[in-house]
C-alpha cells in the first residue's frame, strides 16, 4: 500500500486527487496538510468526501510528513511548491508536484513568467516533466515529477506527433476554452457566479504562463500564439489548434504512436472531440479536419482539466513510479450527461 | 463474474449504469439492447465510453439475452418495461427494473397515474421495492427489483424514520428541485438548452406520478403535497420537506436507524445538504431545522438523481442479490467542483 | 426632467436602476456615489454602460447630492441606508430606498432580524412600503419609499388577494427559488462560480430576514414558513406557495383586483409561470393549481428579482411620486431566450 | 408610424425583433406570420410578450401582408426567405431579411454553401448587405436589406478597418465562441439541455456557411480560417482573431473610422471585451493585444448574437430606411449581471 501525502489539500487539483485516491486500491492517504484548514477534519472542509476519509488536516512539517508518506503530491500556487519540495526530497520522499515550479528547465524563463527567482534550481535536473505518453520511462525512474499544466497537456498531445511531418509555419495558433475550475478556488470578482454566468472572456493574451511550457515541449523552433478563454462551465478544456503545414503528410499515421496509450483516444479525421465525452475522466480525445480550401489542418483536443489535465495525470505518474499498473484508479468513463 | 444485460441502453439511467459497471470488478456487461441503436457499437452511440467497452447494441431477443446474462437491468419509459420483464422472468433471469412498472403494488393506482392497464400484475407480488435501506433483506432474496423513482428516494429516506414520532399533520409539503436529466434524454421544446437555461419551472403540480409511490412507502395515512421543479443544471435533487409535527420528538434519535447505512449521511440539525456534495455519488445527505417560532420541522435531502436516485441504488440491489459487498463499485466521492 | 441620484452605485440593484434609467425619457442621473468606486468614471466601473453615461462616481456628501437631485435611490446593505436617508430627507430630497431599513414598521422586529438598533425610527411613519399594487395612492404622496424585498414581492402579490376568502391554515408554506444575483455582488466561497454551478441549496431556513416583511404585509394572523433556495442561474425568483384553505372559494375572482395592474399577469388555473417569461421585465406572473385530492391550493409566482423585484418596482414608485405615467421605462418584454 | 410585419415569428431572431419593437415609439407590428403558430394569439406562443401585444399569428398571404405593412422582416431558415421576399418586393413592400438568402452576391457561392439554387438572383443587385457601419448610405436608399450573419458581424467589424494597413498573411484565423441561441430554436439531440450543459464543441470546421460571407466583405485577397464553437450559455459571441501583419501599423488609428458609430465601442489596446458587457445590447465591443514576442496582433470582439448580431442591426437598418434616428429603440445598456 503506497502511503500518500497531500500538501495544500483544499485547492481544486488536490480535491480531485483526494477524490480519485478514495477509489485507489493500492494507495492510502496518510497525511493531508493545509494552511487554512489545519486542525479540521478533512470531511468537514470538503463535505463531498464525508464517509470516505477519516483524517484531519494539519500544518506541514516535513519530518512528520516524511515519516508517514512514501510519496507526496504538492498542490499549491505557483512559486509556492519549492519550500515543500526541497525538504521532502532531502528526506528522500518522492514528490509529484501539480504546480508549475519544476516544469520549466530554464530558471530564467521561470523567473520571467512567474515573477520570482527559482528557489531550487538544483532540483530541476532531477525533475521529470510528467507528460506520461512522452516520458513514461523517465517517470518510472524518477523521484520528482512535475505534472504538466492543463492547457499544455491539451496542446502538446495533439501537436507533438505531427510537427516533424508538418513542419508548420509558426506561430501555431492555439485557442483554448476552459471551464472555471481552471482559475482556482479563490473567490474573486471575475469568477463570482453572476459575473461569469452567461459570459465568455479571453485573458492573459500573449502572456499566459503556459506558453513557454508548451514551447519547451514542442522544441525550440515551434513558437505558439496561445490564447486562453473561459466560458461558463466548471470543467474541461477544448483546444482548437490551427496548423499551416508546409508539406503534405498523413495525419492519422502520425498518431499511430499513441495506439497503446490507455488514455489518448484518436477519433480520426472529421470526428471532433467534445468536452462532455471526457469530463470526469482521464482521457484526452483528439480529432482533426484538413481544410483543402485553405491548406490548413485544424486539430481539436478535449480533456477534463482536473483529471486528464491534473490529478489523473499525476496519479498515472505515481502508479508508474511505484510499479503499479498505470491505469489503477483511472479507467473511469466520462460523466455524460 | 456476474453477467449483466442492459435493456434500453441509451436512456440516461442506463448510461449511468454502464458508467458505474465499467468500474465494477465483479460484473461484466454481456448484452446491451436498444431499439434505436441496434447494430451500432455501444461506444459510437455513447462516446464517453470509448476505450472501456467493446460491445454492440442489439435488438432485444429474450432467449439470447437470457442465455448470456444472469441479471438484466431494464431502463425504458413507463409502461414499457413489462414486455421485457415478463419473458426474462419466465426464463429465470433476474431483473432490476429502473422504470416505474413494478413499483406500485396496486395495479389500479398504476393505471390511474400512468394511463395504461398493468400488463403483468402477476409479477407484482414477486417484485421488491428496491429502496435498499428499507428492504435490504427482501432484495437479497428476490429475483425482481423495482428501483424506486428518484424523487421518492429523496423524500422517503428523510421522512420515513420520523413519521411515527412526529405524527405530522397532512398533507406533508414536499417541494423538490431537480436537474434536467430527470426529464430524460428525448429532445423537446421545454428542455432545449436556450429554453431551459436561466429558467426555473414547476410541473405536474398535484399530478406527478411519483406521488402515489411516496405515499405507498410512507403508509396509508400520510398524504403528501408533492411539487416538483426543474432548475438549469444537469444532475441532482434537493427536496425540502415541511413537516408539522403534532408531538415533540428527537429528530436525531429517529435517524439512528441509518447509522450503519453506507450511503446515507445524517448531517444533523441546522446542517443543510447541497446538491454539489452528492453529485456523481450514491449518497443521500439529510439535514434539518426545527423552527421554534412556527413549530415546524424542515427536512432537506440531497441526492444525485442518476446515481443515488437510480443507477447506484440499482447496482446496490444487484450486489445484494448476488451476495457481493453491497458497496462494490459505489463508494465514489461526489464531484465537487 | 427628474434629477436622479444613486447611492451605492455598484450593487446589483443599483446597476439595474442605472440600466433602466438609461432608457427613461423623463429622468436624468445627476449623481452617483460609491465608497469603493469614488473618483472613477461610472462606465469604467460598469462597462456595460459604456457609451450611455458620462458621469463620475463620487463620495457621498448630502449637501452636494441634495443640490443636484430631486430624488435619490439608496442601494446599500441592510442597516446601512439610514445614514444616507436621514440627511437627504432633512434637506427635503425624496428618497427611494431599495434596502430593508424602512420596510418594517416595528423597529424591535428590525433589530431582532437585522441585529442592529434602528437608527431613524422617526422616519418609519413617513416611509411607505413601496409595493405599488397595494399602496399606489400612498406612494404618490410620500417622500420616502421603502422598496419591498424581492422574495416578499413574489409571495405577497399572489397571497394577499386570496387570504380573506381562503382563511388558510398557518403557517403557509412558501418555498422560493432564486437566482444568485439575489445574494449580492460580493465574491465569497459559496457563490464562486465552480462552487455554485450545478448546485442547489436552501439557506436561512426559519430565519430569513424577509419572513417578518411577508408577515407584516399579510397581516398578523398569517404566519408563514419561508424557505429560500438558490439554484445555478443569475436572475429570477419562482415561489411555490402551498395554501390549505379552510373554505371553498373562487381563486380567479380574488385576482380580479389586479385586472388593471400593468405588471401583474394572472395566467389562471393550471397555467404555471416560469422564470424565463419574466426575466428582464417588470412583470409578476401568477398561476395556480387546485389539488382536489388533497384540498390544497398551490400558487406559483415568478418575477425578475432585479427588475420586478427591485429596480422596476422602485422606478414605478418614482414615476408615481413625480406624476409621470407609472409605466415609463418599464414596459419591456422579458428576455426569452 | 411604420407598419411592420414579421414573417416566421417564432424563430429566435424574430422573437428578438418583437421584443425590441415592443419598445419602438415609431413602429407598430401589424402582421405576424408563422406556419406552426397560425391562428394562435402571439402572446400564447411567446408568453414573454403577454401584456405587450394583442395580435394573432396568421398564415402568410403576400397580398394581405403587403396591404398592412410598410416593411416586413423575414426570419426563416436558409433558402426559405426567397418565396416570401419575391412577392413582397413585387408588391412594393420593403423587406429586411435576417436570413442568408440575399447576403452573397454570387449565386454560385450561395448554391455551393447552402446546397440549393438561388431562386431570386434578380433581386441580388437590389439587396444591400446590411452591415450598418459599412453601408449606411446604401441602406438608407434601398428597399431590400440582407442583415449579415452574427459571426460575420463579429469578424468583419474588427478586421475590415485594419486590413489595408496590416496586409496580413492569410488565412487569418478566426475562432469564435457562440451561445446556443445561435443554433436556433428547433430541439435536437445536440442542444438538449443535459447534452450541452457543461459542454463545449467546435462544429462545421472548414465548412461553415458564414465563411464566404466574411471573405466577401473583407475582399477577395483575404482568406479566413473560421472555426465556430458553442459553449453552454444562451447569448453572445466572442471572436478571437489572430492576425499576422506583414507591416507595422497603428491599430488605434485604423479604428478612428468608427468614432461616430453609435454601437461600436473601441476599448483599446490590452483592454478586452467580454460577452457580459454586450449581452442584451446592440453594441459591438472591440479590443486587441499586440504580441511583441510573436509579431502577431490578436483582436477580440464581442456582440449579442440576437441583438447586435441580428435584430438590433436589422432595426437599425429599418430606422435608416425610414429616415428615423437610427438609434431609435436600440440604445439599451447590456444586461450585467
Amino acid at each position: 500500500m503506497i502511503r500518500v501525502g497531500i500538501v495544500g489539500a483544499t485547492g481544486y487539483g488536490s480535491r480531485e486527487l483526494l477524490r480519485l485516491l478514495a477509489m485507489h486500491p493500492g494507495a492510502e492517504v496518510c497525511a493531508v496538510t493545509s494552511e487554512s484548514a489545519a486542525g479540521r477534519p478533512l470531511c468537514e472542509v470538503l463535505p463531498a468526501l464525508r464517509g470516505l476519509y477519516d483524517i484531519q488536516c494539519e500544518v506541514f512539517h516535513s519530518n512528520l510528513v516524511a515519516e508517514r508518506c512514501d510519496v507526496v503530491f504538492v498542490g499549491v500556487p505557483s512559486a509556492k511548491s519549492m519550500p515543500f519540495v526541497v525538504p521532502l526530497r532531502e528526506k528522500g520522499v518522492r514528490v509529484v508536484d501539480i504546480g508549475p515550479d519544476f516544469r520549466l528547465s530554464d530558471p530564467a524563463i521561470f523567473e520571467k513568467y512567474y515573477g520570482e527567482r527559482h528557489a531550487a534550481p538544483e532540483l530541476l535536473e532531477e525533475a521529470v516533466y510528467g507528460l506520461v505518453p512522452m516520458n513514461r520511462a523517465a517517470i518510472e525512474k524518477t523521484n520528482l515529477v512535475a505534472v504538466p499544466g492543463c492547457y499544455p497537456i491539451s496542446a502538446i498531445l495533439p501537436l507533438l506527433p505531427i510537427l516533424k511531418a508538418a513542419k508548420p509555419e509558426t506561430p501555431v495558433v492555439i485557442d483554448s476554452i476552459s471551464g472555471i475550475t481552471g482559475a482556482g478556488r479563490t473567490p474573486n470578482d471575475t469568477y463570482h457566479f453572476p459575473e461569469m454566468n452567461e459570459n465568455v472572456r479571453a485573458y492573459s493574451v500573449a502572456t499566459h504562463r503556459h506558453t513557454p511550457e508548451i514551447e519547451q515541449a514542442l522544441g525550440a523552433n515551434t513558437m505558439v500564439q496561445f490564447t486562453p478563454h473561459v466560458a461558463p462551465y466548471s470543467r474541461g478544456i477544448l483546444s482548437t489548434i490551427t496548423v499551416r503545414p508546409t508539406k503534405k503528410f498523413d495525419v492519422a499515421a502520425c498518431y499511430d504512436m499513441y495506439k497503446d496509450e490507455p488514455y489518448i483516444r484518436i477519433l480520426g479525421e472529421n470526428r471532433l472531440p467534445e468536452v462532455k465525452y471526457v469530463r470526469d475522466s482521464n482521457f484526452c480525445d483528439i480529432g482533426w479536419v484538413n481544410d483543402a480550401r485553405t491548406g490548413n489542418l485544424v486539430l481539436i483536443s478535449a480533456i477534463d482539466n482536473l483529471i486528464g489535465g491534473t490529478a489523473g495525470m499525476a496519479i498515472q505518474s505515481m502508479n508508474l513510479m511505484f510499479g503499479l499498473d498505470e491505469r489503477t484508479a483511472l479507467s473511469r468513463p466520462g460523466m455524460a450527461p
Side-chain angles (χ1 to χ4, degrees), chain A:
Chain A
M1 191 67 79
I2 311 170
R3 299 173 307 150
V4 174
I6 311 265
V7 169
T10 61
Y12 285 158
S14 297
R15 290 186 198 187
E16 202 64 17
L17 284 165
L18 286 161
R19 193 162 81 100
L20 298 178
L21 290 167
M23 302 182 76
H24 195 299
E28 186 180 11
V29 175
C30 298
V32 167
T33 80
S34 162
E35 296 283 303
S36 60
R40 296 173 60 199
L42 178 63
C43 295
E44 188 189 296
V45 182
L46 302 176
L49 302 177
R50 278 185 296 228
L52 298 163
Y53 281 100
D54 183 17
I55 193 171
Q56 295 248 338
C57 297
E58 56 192 299
V59 171
F60 178 82
H61 292 296
S62 61
N63 283 332
L64 295 178
V65 170
E67 241 166 59
R68 303 211 306 265
C69 301
D70 301 311
V71 62
V72 172
F73 294 92
V74 179
V76 295
S78 62
K80 304 288 190 211
S81 288
M82 298 176 287
F84 297 101
V85 175
V86 170
L88 288 169
R89 286 302 305 126
E90 279 170 2
K91 294 179 173 65
V93 182
R94 286 161 141 179
V95 172
V96 178
D97 182 16
I98 64 173
D101 293 11
F102 297 93
R103 292 176 192 158
L104 296 170
S105 53
D106 181 346
I109 295 182
F110 179 86
E111 187 173 342
K112 179 178 163 196
Y113 275 88
Y114 291 91
E116 302 204 25
R117 288 203 60 168
H118 200 286
E122 70 284 1
L123 286 176
L124 288 173
E125 197 158 342
E126 180 184 23
V128 172
Y129 189 66
L131 191 67
V132 174
M134 307 309 170
N135 297 329
R136 186 173 273 108
I139 292 166
E140 284 174 349
K141 285 178 295 209
T142 193
N143 292 314
L144 174 55
V145 167
V147 179
C150 49
Y151 288 122
I153 290 173
S154 79
I156 299 164
L157 290 180
L159 260 177
L160 197 52
I162 62 134
L163 282 187
K164 195 181 284 184
K167 287 200 191 307
E169 290 182 9
T170 69
V172 170
V173 177
I174 304 171
D175 281 328
S176 295
I177 306 168
S178 174
I180 299 161
T181 53
R185 75 174 179 93
T186 307
N188 57 35
D189 276 329
T190 306
Y191 300 119
H192 187 47
F193 187 96
E195 297 298 320
M196 191 57 212
N197 188 36
E198 295 294 294
N199 191 28
V200 176
R201 60 196 303 269
Y203 69 102
S204 298
V205 180
T207 62
H208 195 278
R209 291 163 165 186
H210 285 171
T211 307
E213 189 182 331
I214 297 169
E215 295 186 347
Q216 172 180 289
L218 298 181
N221 298 319
T222 309
M223 189 177 262
V224 301
Q225 187 71 48
F226 170 56
T227 304
H229 304 72
V230 283
Y233 63 105
S234 289
R235 283 180 177 234
I237 289 174
L238 192 88
S239 285
T240 295
I241 305 169
T242 304
V243 178
R244 187 150 189 80
T246 57
K247 328 190 310 184
K248 291 249 171 212
F249 73 106
D250 179 344
V251 180
C254 293
Y255 288 129
D256 267 357
M257 65 179 279
Y258 288 149
K259 67 178 186 299
D260 296 324
E261 284 300 326
Y263 300 119
I264 297 181
R265 300 189 292 203
I266 301 299
L267 308 191
E269 188 165 2
N270 297 323
R271 302 187 61 182
L272 302 184
E274 302 188 26
V275 161
K276 69 174 166 178
Y277 297 130
V278 299
R279 181 179 51 199
D280 200 28
S281 87
N282 199 38
F283 290 104
C284 176
D285 283 0
I286 297 173
W288 66 91
V289 174
N290 277 300
D291 188 341
R293 195 181 72 91
T294 62
N296 279 355
L297 165 67
V298 181
L299 302 171
I300 315 264
S301 69
I303 60 170
D304 180 304
N305 58 308
L306 293 180
I307 300 185
T310 306
M313 190 64 91
I315 289 174
Q316 202 174 349
S317 281
M318 180 195 78
N319 290 339
L320 289 165
M321 292 163 87
F322 286 85
L324 301 184
D325 182 331
E326 72 185 90
R327 296 169 301 179
T328 311
L330 296 175
S331 289
R332 47 192 301 132
M335 186 169 95

